[in-house]
Amino acid sequence: MKVTVVGAGNVGATCADVLAYREVANEIVLVDIKEGLAEGKALDIWQKAPIDLYDSRTVGATNDYAKSANSDVVVITSGLPRKPGMSRDDLITTNAGIVKSVTENVIRHSPNAIVIVVSNPLDVMTYQAHLTSKLPRTRIMGMAGILDTARYRAFLAEALNVSPKDIQAILLGGHGDTMVPLPRYTTVAGIPVTELIDKDKLNAILERTKVGGGELVKLMGTSAWYAPGSAAAQMVEAIVKDQRRVFPVCIKLEGEYGIKDCYLGVPVVLGKNGVERIIELDLNSEEKALMESSRKAVREVMDVLEKLG
């Protein structure tokens, strides 16, 4: 099996490192536009193989997609962070151009690949990659829900003083402020979380989850990378190993949840074909209203991309 990660920045390099450590693929290719960056990080990851005892081979390439040819899965992390004075439209224009170019190169060399988008703004960049690749929606998806639920579960584990391994949760909708929390689907070793924590504390954790990325930017002055990179790697592993894991991922909805032509996070089964099926939960009226608000917010950003052409 062969996996390519486009973008050798913090998120991409972390993703490649986790994939190598877990021996998810025989070969992991890092591609970046900056001279020597992908080669250097790939070499660094390979040099710790004798220490961490794995066989996955990591190689790097500067703007050379030929080395990525015939990849089974491709992760796209390319894009610029929003800078001071940069409008949302500017960010979308810049990153859409980057994601479009990357996707064209990816599909040219790996036409049968499954593509995972990590670039921001996540939902609309998944849309851009889908438009460019013309792949079926089952083979192109965005990573956000796994990261958001991981933050939520980590905060809960801390509050309850329990192992994060025992916490299961699901979130729907867009990435960030418009996510749709589902406390009634959150359990601790099968116990509903609502029986273990009071409503105010749970709501505070949910609000912290929504701004989880912003909290890290304030602390570090830059975006997170360990958790996002690991989340993308977990998706790759589920696909490559045909694990049929149930994860929330960003995908184009075509009538599910009463929504059409919008990219939102929903629970899916991930396996060798990508999204094997979409799981449609029976939402109550409050959850449906939140989902609709999330749809409107994401659709608004998609409209910006469409107007920019």
Side-chain angles (χ1 to χ4, degrees), residues 1-5 19-20 23-31 56-61 64-75 106 109-110 112-116 236-237 239-241:
M1 301 297 287
K2 184 176 182 178
V3 175
T4 290
V5 180
L19 291 171
E23 296 187 313
V24 170
N26 304 87
E27 184 179 6
I28 299 155
V29 182
L30 266 173
V31 179
S56 294
R57 186 75 168 87
T58 50
V59 297
D64 179 11
Y65 287 82
K67 287 189 177 180
S68 75
N70 300 314
S71 293
D72 296 282
V73 183
V74 177
V75 181
V106 164
H109 291 89
S110 302
N112 297 315
I114 292 167
V115 179
I116 298 169
V236 174
E237 184 173 30
I239 293 166
V240 169
K241 296 183 178 179

Side-chain angles (χ1 to χ4, degrees), residues 55-207:
D55 295 313
S56 294
R57 186 75 168 87
T58 50
V59 297
T62 300
N63 227 18
D64 179 11
Y65 287 82
K67 287 189 177 180
S68 75
N70 300 314
S71 293
D72 296 282
V73 183
V74 177
V75 181
I76 299 176
T77 71
S78 310
L80 299 176
R82 188 167 175 173
K83 299 176 182 178
M86 179 184 280
S87 70
R88 182 185 63 176
D89 290 11
D90 289 339
L91 179 66
I92 293 171
T93 303
T94 301
N95 282 353
I98 293 170
V99 170
K100 182 177 185 293
S101 175
V102 168
T103 304
E104 288 170 345
N105 282 302
V106 164
I107 298 304
R108 185 177 299 120
H109 291 89
S110 302
N112 297 315
I114 292 167
V115 179
I116 298 169
V117 180
V118 185
S119 309
N120 280 316
L122 187 281
D123 307 290
V124 74
M125 289 305 106
T126 306
Y127 179 32
Q128 176 64 71
H130 196 173
L131 288 173
T132 304
S133 68
K134 298 180 175 60
L135 290 175
R137 65 172 180 160
T138 54
R139 285 176 50 204
I140 189 151
M141 65 203 78
M143 187 292 295
I146 293 177
L147 173 60
D148 291 332
T149 55
R151 287 171 173 161
Y152 174 42
R153 290 157 65 197
F155 298 153
L156 276 174
E158 189 176 10
L160 296 171
N161 195 24
V162 299
S163 170
K165 297 176 184 177
D166 289 330
I167 299 177
Q168 292 295 321
I170 198 78
L171 296 168
L172 304 181
H175 184 41
D177 293 352
T178 66
M179 70 175 64
V180 180
L182 299 174
R184 68 192 180 96
Y185 287 103
T186 304
T187 61
V188 181
I191 305 166
V193 74
T194 49
E195 295 184 16
L196 300 173
I197 191 169
D198 64 54
K199 188 175 182 179
D200 289 343
K201 286 183 179 179
L202 182 57
N203 286 338
I205 288 171
L206 290 168
E207 290 306 310

